[in-house]
Amino acid sequence: MSEEDDLLAGEIALGLLDGPEREAAVRRLGSDTALAKQVDWWRERFEPLSAGDSVEPSEGLWQRIEAMLPGNDNAAVIEARRWRAAALAATVVAGLLGVALVLRPAPVPPATPPAAAPAPAPVLLASIAGSGGILATIAYNQTAGDLTIAPGTLDAGQRDAELWIIPADGRPRSLGTIDPARAATRPARTDVRRLIARGATFAISLEPRGGSPTGLPTGPILGTGKISGS
């Protein structure tokens, strides 16, 4: 099949012909089996593009283009017709791509990695042991400055049990009295927080109601426990 007939088949498949050209093409299709097959071939190629919206050039544009070509330049006419077919096909493709872009789902943003968990607060621990076993377990949160006191076998009877911190200098500082019946968390005094450190010692003494009247242990020491890390 000649190149001109192939272009004619493409124009028929795209519906570009009108007027006398279309009538002549229809008459020829009735007797030219090869041309009819080529039209079917072109239609199969263009079918996937037919779903998109297209904008066809104005009615007289192609006639004006052909009128500007030399009258006897058949190659130029063929080239114009090829341009005409290609332009419409490109328009259809552009429409199809536009529809695809509209219908394409929005990209899913990458998952945000979970924020790193905050580092646990450094905690110092001590178990205060006495003759009756573990009297109490002490946990000190260095960041918050809080003491958590969990009584064990501690029994003060009719007196008060008082907690002490004994740092490297060996002089006890009071951390207040302890309720033997329940655990409690409370802030340590600001002036003694720096003394609660690894290697220092917690101690529990037996004191009169309300605690030691002198600021130092006055009764027997019930038990001690050295401070270590968590």
Side-chain angles (χ1 to χ4, degrees):
M1 173 174 289
S2 67
E3 182 180 5
E4 185 174 0
D5 283 349
D6 183 50
L7 289 173
L8 176 61
E11 290 178 322
I12 296 172
L14 287 172
L16 299 180
L17 302 179
D18 53 16
E21 286 183 337
R22 183 177 183 279
E23 293 175 3
V26 171
R27 286 196 301 270
R28 184 173 171 186
L29 284 175
S31 59
D32 192 332
T33 305
L35 180 63
K37 288 182 179 180
Q38 192 67 7
V39 170
D40 290 340
W41 184 89
W42 275 111
R43 282 173 178 164
E44 288 177 5
R45 297 302 180 276
F46 290 132
E47 185 175 3
L49 305 177
S50 60
D53 294 332
S54 63
V55 178
E56 188 173 352
S58 62
E59 181 71 22
L61 176 60
W62 303 115
Q63 288 82 355
R64 290 197 299 273
I65 291 173
E66 291 182 1
M68 295 170 63
L69 299 174
N72 297 322
D73 192 347
N74 188 53
V77 173
I78 292 174
E79 185 61 28
R81 292 170 63 185
R82 181 186 291 114
W83 180 29
R84 177 182 181 183
L88 182 58
T91 302
V92 174
V93 171
L96 184 62
L97 289 175
V99 172
L101 288 173
V102 170
L103 298 180
R104 183 178 61 185
V108 178
T112 303
V123 176
L124 302 177
L125 299 173
S127 293
I128 302 177
S131 59
I134 302 300
L135 303 180
T137 299
I138 312 296
Y140 177 63
N141 184 318
Q142 296 182 89
T143 301
D146 290 340
L147 282 167
T148 298
I149 304 162
T153 63
L154 180 61
D155 182 6
Q158 299 302 311
R159 304 172 73 179
D160 275 347
E162 190 162 353
L163 179 66
W164 304 84
I165 180 67
I166 306 173
D169 63 10
R171 185 168 69 86
R173 276 81 160 176
S174 175
L175 297 175
T177 59
I178 297 174
D179 184 348
R182 64 176 64 88
T185 298
R186 68 192 186 206
R189 294 200 324 268
T190 304
D191 61 310
V192 299
R193 290 181 182 180
R194 62 181 179 80
L195 304 176
I196 306 174
R198 289 179 177 85
T201 299
F202 284 121
I204 296 177
S205 67
L206 200 58
E207 301 294 335
R209 289 290 188 182
S212 170
T214 66
L216 292 171
T218 62
I221 300 296
L222 301 179
T224 61
K226 193 169 289 292
I227 299 173
S228 65
S230 57

